[in-house]
Amino acid sequence: MSARSKPHTPTKSAAANSASVKPSAQANSSLHAANPHGGPIGQCAYAKAQAVLDRLSALRAAREHWTPSWRELSSQILPRKGDSFAAGGLAGLGARASDEAVFDSTPAHSLELLASALGGLLTNPALPWFDLRLGRGAPDGDEVRVFLAHCRERLLSLFNTEATGFQACVHELYLDLCLFGTAVLYVEPDQDCLVRFSTRPLSEVHLAEDARGLVDTVIRSYSLTARQAWAQWGRACSPDVQKLALEAPEARVNLIHAVFPRAERDPASPANTHFPFACLFVEQDSGVLLEESGYHEMPYMCPRWAKVSGEAYGRGPGLTALSDVRVLNAMCRTALMSAEKMSDPPLMVPDDGFLGPIHSGPGGLSYYRAGSQDRIEALPVRVDLSAIEAMIERRRQSIRRIFLADQLSPEAVNSTATEALIRQTEKMRVLGPVLGRLQTEFLAPLIERAFNILLREGELPAWPAKLPQGSLQVDYATPIAQAQRQAEAENLGQAVRYLQPLLANGDPFHIMDNFEPDAMARHAATLFGLPPEYLRPKENVEAIRQGRKE
């Protein structure tokens, strides 16, 4: 069954997501004191900042055993992803991860192909990869249809606009997802392009789940220059950062962005400090609370490829293929050394009988004593390179299969429609669990977040008065949904063909009394992916039929 989600449809609020509450400079000046006594406001801000720092320490300790695996994955497959892991996160900013451990490009190429395939399957910019439809029992009409069509076109335009950066960063998200098993996308309101998307490095984020196994807490540890921190928070910065902004504006300042469910709030309050998700920015070194605000929805999308129950971080194909990748790189290194020995073997030189140094290069001259029987001989090197190449190729094929290259290969040109449908069904059995999880943890919250931001900013039409809240459904044009529709359409066709002999000669047995033709026709149009505007509203159909009777 195709995954569907219902976007939240709040009324437009005067408070924007980007609004914030910033402590005064006097309050901040006491935050990093050993025993702050700056009044109730300063003490409250200090307590909140310390709570964030304590929780970051706990989440960092819980994540510690994942870091060596991520570092090895990046060094063995895609070294550029290991820049932030190279010297321990923020401390290693600017350091370049070495690619000395990579001796074969097959793992990186397979990773790139899988990430590109996911982009084409889930968020293809050339195709409308989702649709907005009404739920069961929702009132239909021209006003509702125009609203749905406009919302769909506006959302697709938002995702495909270059200014938002979605298509540029979503590929990096798929790379992280396939390599590490976990990826993080940050969706924030923007004054210039309404919504801005950015993929955050896995080394920055620390995750925690709720009781249902969904990520509801993200604490991000990152850095900005002192100049950037001053431009964003001004006098809310600590005195040390303010001094750096004047004397060393390019010096790095370690920051924390914490997002978690707000335990105590007033749902009726329009203030962003009472939004469902709390947002706190804290200076990591001084413990100064820079900003406190909130979000209507979780701004971080954290899809996982697959996960063990109780773990917040996922496991991807990269971790599965790591053992093969280690062996492949070691075998390729050995094969290169063996080929080099065969082409330029070690030499056996007598300890006497030669004059001067030995020149083994092209055209080199080596002098030996006249009458001496000693000669320079090559040390015998016996290596079966064909056997090594066969072993290497088996490892390459194993890595390609782990990265689903066999499942994502195109269909043969001369295959029939039935054969193509059978192969597509078999592929969906393998890809179904993964794509289903991505719809739940990535696509659904992504569309909901973007839809609600546009609705609050007045970029969508007014919500139809007769349309109940929560009556929209998101249908995804993914291979899983297409395979499901094809199977349902085939079942419908088989049922009609089976009953066809009984319906001959004017339906003498009144078989059609058991069916609702209008429902079957509308369901068939949905199965074959017809746009909703191709179908008339039910009220218009009834009016046409009534006019025909009259």
Side-chain angles (χ1 to χ4, degrees):
M1 178 169 26
S2 63
R4 291 186 174 127
S5 65
K6 296 182 179 180
H8 178 60
T9 52
T11 56
K12 183 178 179 182
S13 174
N17 274 334
S18 58
S20 61
V21 176
K22 298 180 181 179
S24 63
Q26 291 79 6
N28 273 328
S29 63
S30 64
L31 288 179
H32 53 86
N35 186 17
H37 298 285
I41 296 179
Q43 292 178 358
C44 181
Y46 175 82
K48 291 180 180 180
Q50 288 302 314
V52 170
L53 291 172
D54 294 341
R55 194 166 187 186
L56 173 62
S57 299
L59 293 180
R60 182 174 289 165
R63 198 196 70 170
E64 191 65 28
H65 70 282
W66 289 95
T67 304
S69 298
W70 294 339
R71 185 182 297 116
E72 186 178 8
L73 280 171
S74 59
S75 64
Q76 293 279 347
I77 300 178
L78 205 62
R80 68 177 178 85
K81 285 291 184 180
D83 292 350
S84 54
F85 296 115
L90 293 176
L93 188 66
R96 301 299 302 174
S98 173
D99 59 352
E100 295 178 355
V102 178
F103 288 88
D104 193 282
S105 61
T106 300
H109 181 62
S110 301
L111 173 66
E112 291 280 355
L113 288 180
L114 179 55
S116 300
L118 288 179
L121 293 173
L122 297 177
T123 54
N124 193 337
L127 299 174
W129 47 274
F130 70 92
D131 193 11
L132 297 179
R133 296 183 181 274
L134 295 174
R136 293 185 180 275
D140 196 1
D142 292 335
E143 180 186 7
V144 174
R145 287 168 176 261
V146 171
F147 172 76
L148 292 179
H150 187 88
C151 291
R152 180 176 63 251
E153 293 175 1
R154 186 66 184 89
L155 283 172
L156 288 173
S157 175
L158 177 74
F159 290 124
N160 293 334
T161 302
E162 295 179 358
T164 62
F166 177 74
Q167 293 299 335
C169 69
V170 74
H171 182 68
E172 292 297 318
L173 178 133
Y174 291 136
L175 286 175
D176 288 347
L177 182 67
C178 299
L179 181 61
F180 303 117
T182 306
V184 179
L185 180 71
Y186 181 44
V187 183
E188 59 180 333
D190 188 83
Q191 296 180 352
D192 299 328
C193 56
L194 295 177
V195 183
R196 185 172 296 278
F197 305 91
S198 59
T199 300
R200 307 315 311 168
L202 191 57
S203 60
E204 290 185 357
V205 295
H206 306 77
L207 309 181
E209 294 181 331
D210 59 11
R212 298 176 300 167
L214 301 178
V215 175
D216 68 341
T217 299
V218 175
I219 299 183
R220 175 179 159 222
S221 178
Y222 69 109
S223 69
L224 294 177
T225 63
R227 175 179 57 86
Q228 293 170 337
W230 169 261
Q232 185 167 354
W233 290 290
R235 294 189 177 276
C237 297
S238 65
D240 294 338
V241 173
Q242 296 183 34
K243 183 178 179 181
L244 283 176
L246 296 176
E247 299 177 356
E250 299 305 318
R252 308 299 298 188
V253 178
N254 296 333
L255 303 171
I256 298 173
H257 182 207
V259 179
F260 51 88
R262 198 184 298 274
E264 298 179 0
R265 69 186 187 93
D266 181 8
S269 174
N272 55 18
T273 52
H274 291 277
F275 286 175
F277 287 91
C279 166
L280 280 75
F281 286 91
V282 179
E283 281 188 21
Q284 189 167 351
D285 298 331
S286 63
V288 172
L289 179 62
L290 298 174
E291 177 182 342
E292 180 182 7
S293 60
Y295 298 101
H296 288 284
E297 309 88 21
M298 182 63 173
Y300 287 99
M301 278 81 251
C302 306
R304 280 81 57 90
W305 182 275
K307 61 180 289 294
V308 178
S309 179
E311 292 183 347
Y313 301 93
R315 304 167 183 265
L319 190 60
T320 305
L322 182 57
S323 58
D324 283 332
V325 173
R326 289 196 200 104
V327 175
L328 176 62
N329 284 326
M331 292 173 65
C332 289
R333 181 175 180 271
T334 302
L336 291 174
M337 293 173 59
S338 301
E340 185 178 6
K341 285 183 178 180
M342 293 180 65
S343 61
D344 188 10
L347 301 179
M348 295 187 298
V349 182
D351 58 355
D352 191 12
F354 281 81
L355 302 176
I358 305 299
H359 300 281
S360 60
L365 298 177
S366 299
Y367 298 93
Y368 64 94
R369 299 182 186 277
S372 174
Q373 300 299 321
D374 296 330
R375 295 292 185 271
I376 300 175
E377 298 180 0
L379 182 67
V381 177
R382 297 179 179 87
V383 179
D384 189 355
L385 289 180
S386 60
I388 296 179
E389 183 62 29
M391 296 173 63
I392 290 176
E393 186 59 30
R394 285 197 295 270
R395 294 291 179 177
R396 289 171 177 166
Q397 293 297 333
S398 175
I399 293 171
R400 293 190 184 103
R401 285 193 299 269
I402 292 174
F403 283 102
L404 304 179
D406 55 337
Q407 301 296 327
L408 300 173
S409 58
E411 299 292 341
V413 179
N414 56 352
S415 61
T416 63
T418 304
E419 292 174 346
L421 179 60
I422 294 174
R423 293 194 185 96
Q424 183 74 4
T425 304
E426 293 176 352
K427 291 179 180 180
M428 289 308 102
R429 292 174 183 171
V430 178
L431 296 175
V434 175
L435 298 183
R437 174 179 285 275
L438 291 181
Q439 288 180 4
T440 302
E441 295 188 346
F442 176 50
L443 297 182
L446 172 67
I447 296 175
E448 178 185 357
R449 172 75 170 153
F451 179 90
N452 289 333
I453 290 178
L454 293 180
L455 190 64
R456 287 190 291 267
E457 295 295 332
E459 293 294 323
L460 298 178
W463 189 267
K466 66 176 184 178
L467 187 62
Q469 299 286 329
S471 58
L472 295 186
Q473 289 184 345
V474 179
D475 288 352
Y476 304 103
T478 61
I480 295 179
Q482 294 174 359
Q484 178 201 12
R485 296 190 188 105
Q486 290 176 355
E488 292 184 16
E490 183 64 24
N491 294 336
L492 179 61
Q494 288 179 357
V496 172
R497 289 192 296 270
Y498 181 80
L499 296 175
Q500 186 64 35
L502 300 177
L503 300 177
N505 301 323
D507 190 14
F509 303 103
H510 304 289
I511 300 297
M512 291 303 299
D513 294 344
N514 298 282
F515 298 94
E516 182 61 46
D518 286 351
M520 294 175 63
R522 290 181 175 273
H523 185 58
T526 302
L527 292 178
F528 288 102
L530 293 181
E533 52 267 22
Y534 284 14
L535 293 176
R536 292 191 178 99
K538 295 180 180 179
E539 295 82 359
N540 295 3
V541 174
E542 293 295 334
I544 292 174
R545 290 175 177 174
Q546 186 64 28
R548 186 182 298 117
K549 290 180 180 180
E550 295 176 357

